[in-house]
Amino acid sequence: SQKIEQNSEALNIQEGKTATLTCNYTNYSPAYLQWYRQDPGRGPVFLLLIRENEKEKRKERLKVTFDTTLKQSLFHITASQPADSATYLCALAGGGSTLGRLYFGRGTQLTVWP
Amino acid sequence: GAVVSQHPSRVICKSGTSVKIECRSLDFQATTMFWYRQFPKQSLMLMATSNEGSKATYEQGVEKDKFLINHASLTLSTLTVTSAHPEDSSFYICSADGQGRTDTQYFGPGTRLTVL
C-alpha cells in the first residue's frame, strides 16, 4: 500500500539553526511534491512545490530537495526563528487519473526556541 | 488573493443529526474542490474530489451516502455529514484548485465538528 512517512513527530531546535525535515514515501510515483505549514486549529498553508524532474527549489529561507531514486524529500529552514514553530506537512500529488489529488504525511511539529 | 473560507468554523451537534459545511472560494473560481478530514495528531486524509456540476469522486473507504458533496457553482462546495455519530467528530478542511491549475490548492481554515 502507499505510504508517506515524515521522519519524526517532533523536532526541537535553537533559534538561528537550520531545521531539516524528512519525507519518505513508498509505492508512489508522484508528479510533484509539496510542503505545507499548519498552525493549530488552522488549515494548511502552501510553502513550496517541487516536480519530479527537479532536484532542488528555494524560496527565501526555505529549501526543498527531491530525490525520486531514494523516494525522499528534504525540507530545510535556515536561520530558524521562533515564528517558524508549526507543524510541517509534506504532500504527494498523484499522477494520471489522480492528478490534483494530494496525499499527506502526518507532519513534523517543529519548535524553535530562543 | 486566493482565499478560501469555510462556514461554520465550529459546530456541535447531537448524534443522528445532519450537518452541512460550506466551502467558498472568495476571489477566484475553482474548477475542483477537495474535502479532507483530520483527526488529532494525524495527517489530512482526502475524502473526495468534486468538480463543479458533476458527481464527486470519493476515496476508497469513504461512504458517499454518509458524506454528501454538492458542488453547485465554481465558488461553492458543500459537505453534508448525514446522521452524524461521535466517531465523525473531526476537523474537516476543504481546498480549491487555483483556477484550473491542478498543482495549486488553496486551503480553507477548517471546520471543527463535534458530535455528542
Side-chain angles (χ1 to χ4, degrees):
Chain A
S1 62
Q2 300 163 330
K3 192 186 282 188
I4 304 168
E5 290 185 342
Q6 294 190 241
N7 64 324
S8 57
E9 282 192 25
L11 179 65
N12 300 311
I13 64 167
Q14 189 176 23
E15 183 176 10
K17 303 289 186 185
T18 296
T20 298
L21 286 65
T22 305
C23 178
N24 294 293
Y25 60 94
T26 57
N27 297 330
Y28 264 109
S29 293
Y32 53 86
L33 184 149
Q34 298 181 339
W35 283 88
Y36 287 82
R37 169 184 173 138
Q38 186 176 27
D39 290 287
R42 309 299 297 272
V45 175
F46 171 77
L47 296 175
L48 279 170
L49 176 153
I50 187 164
R51 300 188 186 281
E52 58 181 338
N53 61 347
E54 297 175 318
K55 297 289 187 188
E56 183 180 296
K57 267 281 185 71
R58 292 175 184 262
K59 179 182 175 182
E60 297 172 356
R61 294 185 294 113
L62 309 180
K63 184 178 87 170
V64 173
T65 62
F66 194 11
D67 188 325
T68 55
T69 302
L70 290 178
K71 295 186 183 292
Q72 181 181 80
S73 174
L74 299 179
F75 177 77
H76 307 272
I77 305 175
T78 59
S80 58
Q81 304 166 0
D84 294 327
S85 299
T87 296
Y88 291 86
L89 308 168
C90 74
L92 275 63
S97 62
T98 64
L99 187 64
R101 293 184 185 145
L102 290 178
Y103 301 96
F104 282 83
R106 268 194 187 188
T108 296
Q109 186 173 345
L110 173 67
T111 302
V112 181
W113 45 278
Chain B
V3 177
V4 175
S5 70
Q6 282 184 241
H7 178 78
S9 57
R10 289 177 184 273
V11 57
I12 301 172
C13 69
K14 292 183 179 180
S15 187
T17 60
S18 294
V19 174
K20 181 187 281 189
I21 302 169
E22 290 186 351
C23 176
R24 292 182 186 272
S25 56
L26 296 185
D27 49 2
F28 66 101
Q29 292 185 329
T31 306
T32 305
M33 288 184 169
F34 303 86
W35 286 95
Y36 298 82
R37 180 168 53 180
Q38 186 177 34
F39 294 106
K41 303 281 187 186
Q42 300 293 317
S43 63
L44 276 77
M45 297 298 296
L46 180 64
M47 299 174 67
T49 304
S50 75
N51 290 293
E52 183 262 338
S54 60
K55 288 185 179 179
T57 302
Y58 290 81
E59 295 296 300
Q60 194 172 12
V62 178
E63 299 174 60
K64 62 179 181 181
D65 294 331
K66 180 166 184 62
F67 298 100
L68 301 178
I69 292 173
N70 185 282
H71 194 158
S73 76
L74 286 171
T75 59
L76 173 63
S77 176
T78 61
L79 168 69
T80 302
V81 183
T82 62
S83 187
H85 288 103
E87 57 265 31
D88 298 324
S89 298
S90 188
F91 193 49
Y92 291 86
I93 307 173
C94 73
S95 71
D97 71 354
Q99 294 175 288
R101 285 192 59 183
T102 55
D103 63 355
T104 304
Q105 287 187 30
Y106 303 98
F107 283 80
T111 296
R112 174 73 59 192
L113 170 63
T114 303
V115 185
L116 303 176

